[in-house]
Amino acid sequence: MMIVALNHKTVPGATEATVLGPFFAHGAKEYEYGADLREGASMKGEDVYVSGRVLSLDGKPVPNALLDIWQAKADGIYDVQTEGEFELRGRVKANAKGDYAFKSYKPKFYSVPIDGPVGDLIRATGNHHMRPAHMHAIVSAPGYQPVITHVFVEGDPYLDGDAVFAVKDSLIGKYRKVDDPAEAKRLGMPNPFIRLDWDFRLAPDAGVKARKAIAPSDAVA
Ligand SMILES: [Fe+2]
């Protein structure tokens, strides 16, 4: 998170960055609008429909963005921590109007691995080893600065004490329960289901160059 703070200074109005974490993987399957990331999942969770827009800082839709999405399974373990196929992971394409949508499971809180030096470090601090529930996303589009971020779950018991200090208030999403058979049918979801509406806002590439140009004097200060 210190590296994020140094290298990804917040651009006002843009989605904030947070830690990449060790569980990102290249080469996830590409999906179109409305994709089902629950495909092939080895365990069930709470069904969630995630949708929203990718926008520029002035609120205009960013066409054809790519959302690299990943999250832990219902047992708090990521697919890449065990043998087997990718799970709850995909590269979801937003459409030409900037809209994206996919189906997944609601994330749950989990423990960071504590069987190695990270566990020793956390025990030495006296802190707990839990991370609040979150979905990971890297959102990118031509002409814009990509953002590595999370969407956390409002009401999660560990929001105030994330073991890796990655929570930012602007990244906490409201997962709301929907009990509407017609809406469920329209979206191809079971009823009831959970819905997350979430917009990502990207800063233009030009902003990155301008901030890089002033970085040396920042360092001296
Ligand atoms: Fe994570």
Side-chain angles (χ1 to χ4, degrees):
M1 283 308 293
M2 182 60 78
I3 290 166
V4 171
L6 291 171
N7 289 350
H8 299 275
K9 288 185 180 155
T10 301
V11 177
T15 297
E16 290 194 276
T18 192
V19 65
L20 174 67
F23 302 126
F24 171 73
H26 289 282
K29 186 176 164 186
E30 272 203 10
Y31 291 94
E32 300 295 331
Y33 181 95
D36 192 347
L37 302 190
R38 301 168 303 179
E39 252 180 10
S42 60
M43 56 189 72
K44 287 192 179 304
E46 293 180 272
D47 296 292
V48 65
Y49 189 88
V50 183
S51 63
R53 298 168 298 167
V54 181
L55 302 170
S56 60
L57 294 184
D58 55 5
K60 295 208 173 78
V62 172
N64 306 315
L66 188 65
L67 294 83
D68 221 313
I69 302 292
W70 69 106
Q71 69 174 73
K73 297 174 286 166
D75 60 357
I77 305 287
Y78 282 82
D79 51 3
V80 293
Q81 290 177 273
T82 54
E83 299 284 321
E85 303 292 316
F86 281 166
E87 234 177 279
L88 302 182
R89 182 185 296 273
R91 289 155 64 80
V92 180
K93 289 193 266 184
N95 65 22
K97 293 187 296 181
D99 299 321
Y100 77 89
F102 61 89
K103 299 161 188 170
S104 188
Y105 294 127
K106 184 181 173 187
K108 283 179 69 177
F109 54 75
Y110 64 80
S111 169
V112 299
I114 51 168
D115 55 348
V118 169
D120 293 339
L121 179 66
I122 289 177
R123 276 185 290 274
T125 66
N127 196 9
H128 66 74
H129 48 84
M130 301 300 290
R131 294 218 58 210
H134 57 274
M135 167 187 99
H136 292 261
I138 301 175
V139 184
S140 57
Y144 292 86
Q145 178 187 359
V147 65
I148 299 170
T149 190
H150 289 16
V151 184
F152 293 94
V153 178
E154 187 181 77
D156 186 277
Y158 296 105
L159 280 175
D160 289 336
D162 185 357
V164 304
F165 311 105
V167 178
K168 294 180 177 177
D169 286 347
S170 71
L171 303 180
I172 300 172
K174 198 182 279 282
Y175 284 71
R176 58 189 173 88
K177 188 173 173 186
V178 177
D179 187 354
D180 181 341
E183 181 72 347
K185 191 173 176 195
R186 188 179 73 79
L187 297 174
M189 296 294 287
N191 190 62
F193 66 102
I194 297 166
R195 185 152 190 177
L196 170 68
D197 300 301
W198 192 258
D199 293 342
F200 295 95
R201 285 177 186 263
L202 301 181
D205 261 345
V208 181
K209 287 184 189 122
R211 281 180 294 111
K212 274 186 180 155
I214 61 167
S217 57
D218 280 359
V220 171

